[in-house]
Amino acid sequence: MKSRAVALEGRIAALMTQARSASQEEAAKRRADQAKQVVAAASMERRHIEERVAVARTELYVTQTRLQQLEAAQASIGMAIRLRRHDLKLSAEELSLTTKIKPEIIKAIEAEDYSWRPAGNPKSDVYVCATIRILAKYLGLDADALVELYDREYSSSANEV
């Protein structure tokens, strides 16, 4: 009987060890599940941060491009139009198809050559300003600023003063 009691105690000890082991395995599984949840949450947060960084980079690029356009527009009508056309990867011919302005006139404006305007016609500046305005609006430039620059630099009334 004593040997039977010892055997039962041994069996009970083995079962308790197995129970502790099972309990430890369950706890380990719970910790692993929690760790997986933390990793998933961190991964989602990382994706959100990456998205915000991408948006910020895009906004920075747009702002830098706009600043370059404004600086170019302040300096030169042709430079502003040429830079923006190149940014949009448009040829003068492609721009011509959309705006119905001859490619030669687009290239002349980009070169700051206004010899194509009708000489002696009092409305020649109106025609040039309208052409610049059409190009600027299509390219997403500040049409008013470019027309104002033309009026200051090239219009027949500016040359008379």
Side-chain angles (χ1 to χ4, degrees), residues 39-100:
V39 167
S43 177
M44 283 178 39
E45 182 64 24
R46 180 176 181 218
R47 271 187 254 129
H48 289 301
I49 290 170
E50 287 172 350
E51 289 171 2
R52 288 194 305 258
V53 166
V55 167
R57 284 185 179 147
T58 302
E59 289 173 355
L60 175 62
Y61 173 77
V62 168
T63 302
Q64 287 174 333
T65 302
R66 183 70 178 137
L67 181 60
Q68 289 171 348
Q69 291 171 356
L70 290 172
E71 289 170 351
Q74 289 175 351
S76 163
I77 298 166
M79 180 71 73
I81 291 172
R82 184 173 44 254
L83 285 175
R84 186 63 179 146
R85 183 173 61 80
H86 285 290
D87 284 346
L88 296 173
K89 296 176 179 31
L90 292 172
S91 69
E93 290 74 19
E94 291 169 326
L95 185 57
S96 171
L97 289 173
T98 328
T99 60
K100 306 298 185 218

Side-chain angles (χ1 to χ4, degrees), residues 33 38 47 77 85 91 103 123 146-147:
D33 288 342
V38 168
R47 271 187 254 129
I77 298 166
R85 183 173 61 80
S91 69
K123 294 189 178 186
L146 292 178
V147 168

Side-chain angles (χ1 to χ4, degrees), residues 70-140:
L70 290 172
E71 289 170 351
Q74 289 175 351
S76 163
I77 298 166
M79 180 71 73
I81 291 172
R82 184 173 44 254
L83 285 175
R84 186 63 179 146
R85 183 173 61 80
H86 285 290
D87 284 346
L88 296 173
K89 296 176 179 31
L90 292 172
S91 69
E93 290 74 19
E94 291 169 326
L95 185 57
S96 171
L97 289 173
T98 328
T99 60
K100 306 298 185 218
I101 297 170
K102 293 179 183 178
E104 301 81 34
I105 292 177
I106 294 171
K107 290 176 184 176
I109 290 173
E110 288 178 353
E112 303 281 331
D113 174 14
Y114 298 101
S115 61
W116 54 271
R117 65 184 171 189
N121 184 340
K123 294 189 178 186
S124 66
D125 287 332
V126 173
Y127 179 72
V128 173
C129 289
T131 304
I132 290 171
R133 192 173 296 281
I134 290 167
L135 289 171
K137 284 184 178 179
Y138 182 80
L139 295 171

